[in-house]
Amino acid sequence: MIILQTVRTVRVCSTVVFAALASCNRGAKTGTAPETPAPPLVGYAAQRLVVTPTIRVTFSETDSLVRELGTASAVGRYLDGELLQRLRERGLGANWILPADLVRAYERNRRYAADPYQLVIEPLRSPRFIAGSKYAEPLSSQLRTMIALHDDARLVLLPMSLRLQSGRAVLRVALLDPRFAEARWVGEIRSDSAAAPSRSSLTQVSRRLADLFVAP
């Protein structure tokens, strides 16, 4: 009888100890800071992407950044250069096909290739164009031809339009799959608000675009 009671006592104590440990573990988990979510495009960082130049730049007639750099096209080129630099800082772009590569391919294949600065992207600029949306001709043929000239390239990162407005630079970007003429991802990237968009605004936008692939 005494032995049986001792066994029961040991079992009760063991149960209490295990319950206390479990409670401590739950408390530790509850107190742990939540994990930082992965960048939305991290799964594409190691793929061989085509990156087009910035296609359109819109601005007010009094925009100081356009006056500073000369033309809207010059603003787009400046943004492209900033993006290339930010990608390299994150270890990205080594095996990507970048705007300069696209221009060279176009110059060698003018009868076949699409001019990377003349892509027909107007339907993509609509707010209704979102991830999963399809796009039609002539852009579908332009992009299929583009990736056909570069082995292993399957997706196109397209900075379609840069808006300089209300003290911000706003870049609308799409990640497209030319094989299915479909958008994998679509979004807008905004600089901080300032008195007027500036070169630093373009640096912010390019950095935040790189952040989509690799966390800072």
Side-chain angles (χ1 to χ4, degrees):
M1 184 69 176
I2 295 174
I3 294 174
L4 180 59
Q5 185 174 0
T6 301
V7 172
R8 287 176 178 171
T9 302
V10 171
R11 287 177 178 172
V12 170
C13 290
S14 299
T15 302
V16 171
V17 170
F18 288 137
L21 289 173
S23 176
C24 289
N25 287 337
R26 285 195 297 270
K29 290 179 180 178
T30 302
T32 301
E35 293 184 4
T36 302
L41 301 181
V42 66
Y44 301 103
Q47 296 190 29
R48 187 166 162 80
L49 300 186
V50 170
V51 184
T52 71
T54 304
I55 306 298
R56 300 282 184 275
V57 177
T58 59
F59 61 97
S60 68
E61 293 182 359
T62 59
D63 191 272
S64 59
L65 181 59
V66 176
R67 292 200 306 272
E68 178 184 350
L69 295 177
T71 64
S73 296
V75 173
R77 304 294 194 279
Y78 187 90
L79 176 60
D80 294 340
E82 284 292 302
L83 177 57
L84 177 58
Q85 186 172 342
R86 302 289 87 77
L87 292 175
R88 285 174 173 168
E89 288 174 355
R90 307 294 174 80
L92 295 169
N95 65 337
W96 291 7
I97 296 95
L98 301 170
D101 304 312
L102 297 178
V103 171
R104 284 191 291 269
Y106 169 67
E107 293 296 337
R108 292 194 300 267
N109 303 275
R110 279 181 170 267
R111 293 185 179 182
Y112 179 67
D115 183 343
Y117 287 97
Q118 298 297 326
L119 300 178
V120 182
I121 52 89
E122 272 62 33
L124 279 61
R125 298 173 66 186
S126 167
R128 293 189 297 273
F129 187 82
I130 59 175
S133 296
K134 297 282 189 178
Y135 55 91
E137 297 290 356
L139 182 62
S140 57
S141 290
Q142 288 179 321
L143 296 186
R144 281 197 303 270
T145 300
M146 186 174 286
I147 65 171
L149 293 171
H150 302 279
D151 293 339
D152 301 325
R154 293 292 179 269
L155 301 175
V156 176
L157 182 66
L158 198 157
M160 63 184 91
S161 62
L162 174 68
R163 303 193 310 274
L164 305 176
Q165 60 179 39
S166 304
R168 292 181 186 269
V170 182
L171 181 65
R172 184 165 172 78
V173 185
L175 183 66
L176 305 178
D177 188 338
R179 296 169 298 172
F180 303 102
E182 182 177 275
R184 293 282 188 90
W185 183 90
V186 182
E188 287 193 344
I189 303 167
R190 298 170 178 267
S191 71
D192 295 339
S193 182
S198 63
R199 296 188 189 213
S200 63
S201 302
L202 301 185
T203 300
Q204 287 177 0
V205 165
S206 60
R207 182 179 294 117
R208 289 168 184 175
L209 178 53
D211 289 346
L212 298 175
F213 293 92
V214 177

